[in-house]
């Protein structure tokens, strides 16, 4: 009896245990390795290259805009800022001024000066007046160019700052009006305030300077100062002629040199006095 008890204590433990059943193994697996919940965010389960894929860009504000692309204010602004000569106004101040000066000087030299010099009677008698007339023509042409630029920039600026956009679908007879979305309105007004308004201010100042210059040149051309500079005496100038009805030997020789041919001048002593 005692021997049987001792042998039972020294019997291997594995021989006294039964292998776990299938249900028991499933319970242990679920207890030690719980399943991840299905509602976990997919971003936590993606690793490597799958998580670095670029996302599609958000839709543009003009996606639902019925206005044709060429009539949208943002596209009109881009087209105007890169076209000739409207792009001059949005450039650097030195470049803008030099282009206007070269335009006016070229027109005055190649067009205004030949017309004023050869298109009038006796231009060689008053060269200063002819040069001032050519300069005024150059200033006038530059003024027209600046006015054209101002009208174009003012039109685009009004469309950018306005809350509505007028457009044509197929022709001039079917005009429509589109109300801008908050995103488009904020972007257009920001662009109009910080990009278009400075250009309009520059063009206004240019028009004032050109207008004052044109008035100054015209007044100088009509002043006696410009008429006083002559290369030689103008035969049409009758300021030195004697009073009508009084005889003057010098005037008679000017109009009838043949009648005094062979006769002594007033400077030579007369033979009757000898």
């Amino acid at each position: 009896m005692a021997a049987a008890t001792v042998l039972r204590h020294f019997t291997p433990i594995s021989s006294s245990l039964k292998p776990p059943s299938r249900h028991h193994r499933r319970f242990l697996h679920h207890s030690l390795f719980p399943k991840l919940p299905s509602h976990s965010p997919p971003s936590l389960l993606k690793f490597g290259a799958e998580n670095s894929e670029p996302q599609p860009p958000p839709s543009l504000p003009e996606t639902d805009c019925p206005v044709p692309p060429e009539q949208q204010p943002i596209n009109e602004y881009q087209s105007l800022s890169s076209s000739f000569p409207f792009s001059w106004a949005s450039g650097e101040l030195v470049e803008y001024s030099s282009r206007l000066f070269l335009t006016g000087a070229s027109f005055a030299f190649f067009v205004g000066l030949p017309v004023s010099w050869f298109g009038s009677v006796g231009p060689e008698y008053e060269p200063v007046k002819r040069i001032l007339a050519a300069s005024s023509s150059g200033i006038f042409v530059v003024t027209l160019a600046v006015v054209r630029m101002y009208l174009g920039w003012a039109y685009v600026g009004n469309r950018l700052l306005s809350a509505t956009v007028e457009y044509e679908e197929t022709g001039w007879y079917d005009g429509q009006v589109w109300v801008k979305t908050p995103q488009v309105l904020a972007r257009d007004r920001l662009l109009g305030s910080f990009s278009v308004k400075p250009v309009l201010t520059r063009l206004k100042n240019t028009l004032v300077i050109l207008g004052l210059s044109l008035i100054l040149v015209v007044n100088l051309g009509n002043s006696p100062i410009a008429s006083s500079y002559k290369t030689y005496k103008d035969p049409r100038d009758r300021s030195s002629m004697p009073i009508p009805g009084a005889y003057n030997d010098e005037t008679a020789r000017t109009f009838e040199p043949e009648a005094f041919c062979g006769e002594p001048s007033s400077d030579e002593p007369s033979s009757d006095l000898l």
Side-chain angles (χ1 to χ4, degrees):
M1 187 67 180
T5 303
V6 173
L7 290 175
R8 191 183 312 135
H9 284 287
F10 286 92
T11 304
I13 299 176
S14 59
S15 59
S16 62
L17 296 177
K18 295 182 179 181
S21 62
R22 182 178 181 181
H23 179 72
H24 192 199
R25 289 197 305 268
R26 184 178 301 174
F27 173 77
L28 292 177
H29 177 77
H30 287 286
S31 299
L32 297 177
F33 306 97
K35 186 179 180 180
L36 292 175
S38 58
H39 61 273
S40 299
S43 59
L44 298 177
L45 303 177
K46 292 184 178 181
F47 303 95
E50 294 181 359
N51 199 24
S52 62
E53 294 180 358
Q55 300 295 329
S59 59
L60 297 176
E62 290 86 355
T63 303
D64 300 331
C65 177
V67 183
E70 64 276 4
Q71 299 183 32
Q72 295 179 6
I74 181 66
N75 295 331
E76 290 177 340
Y77 166 78
Q78 294 176 355
S79 177
L80 188 73
S81 60
S82 60
S83 61
F84 172 86
F86 301 97
S87 59
W88 295 1
S90 59
E92 297 293 334
L93 181 59
V94 177
E95 184 179 2
Y96 165 73
S97 303
S98 61
R99 286 179 175 178
L100 292 182
F101 177 79
L102 290 177
T103 301
S106 300
F107 186 87
F109 183 78
F110 293 105
V111 179
L113 187 60
V115 171
S116 63
W117 196 269
F118 299 104
S120 58
V121 179
E124 63 274 8
Y125 303 117
E126 297 174 344
V128 177
K129 183 177 291 187
R130 310 307 181 211
I131 294 175
L132 290 176
S135 302
S136 63
S137 65
I139 296 175
F140 181 74
V141 169
V142 174
T143 303
L144 293 180
V146 174
V147 169
R148 181 66 186 92
M149 286 189 285
Y150 179 82
L151 293 177
W153 281 101
Y155 171 77
V156 173
N158 292 334
R159 289 176 65 85
L160 285 172
L161 297 176
S162 177
T164 59
V165 177
E166 298 179 359
Y167 66 97
E168 305 291 341
E169 289 183 342
T170 58
W172 60 270
Y173 51 85
D174 59 349
Q176 303 292 335
V177 177
W178 176 65
V179 180
K180 296 180 182 179
T181 61
Q183 294 179 349
V184 175
L185 182 60
R187 183 202 59 189
D188 289 354
R189 287 187 172 178
L190 185 66
L191 185 63
S193 300
F194 292 93
S195 297
V196 178
K197 283 188 176 181
V199 175
L200 293 177
T201 303
R202 173 184 293 182
L203 293 174
K204 288 180 181 179
N205 296 334
T206 305
L207 289 176
V208 172
I209 295 174
L210 290 174
L212 295 177
S213 302
L214 185 60
I215 294 174
L216 178 62
V217 171
V218 172
N219 291 333
L220 286 177
N222 297 328
S223 63
I225 300 176
S227 301
S228 61
Y229 291 95
K230 299 179 181 180
T231 55
Y232 56 89
K233 186 177 181 180
D234 189 354
R236 298 173 302 168
D237 188 5
R238 299 179 180 270
S239 61
S240 61
M241 294 186 63
I243 302 175
Y247 179 79
N248 186 280
D249 196 14
E250 183 181 357
T251 305
R253 290 177 182 277
T254 302
F255 287 97
E256 298 179 357
E258 295 85 1
F260 294 86
C261 182
E263 294 189 6
S265 61
S266 59
D267 298 336
E268 298 178 0
S270 176
S271 59
D272 298 338
L273 300 177
L274 297 177

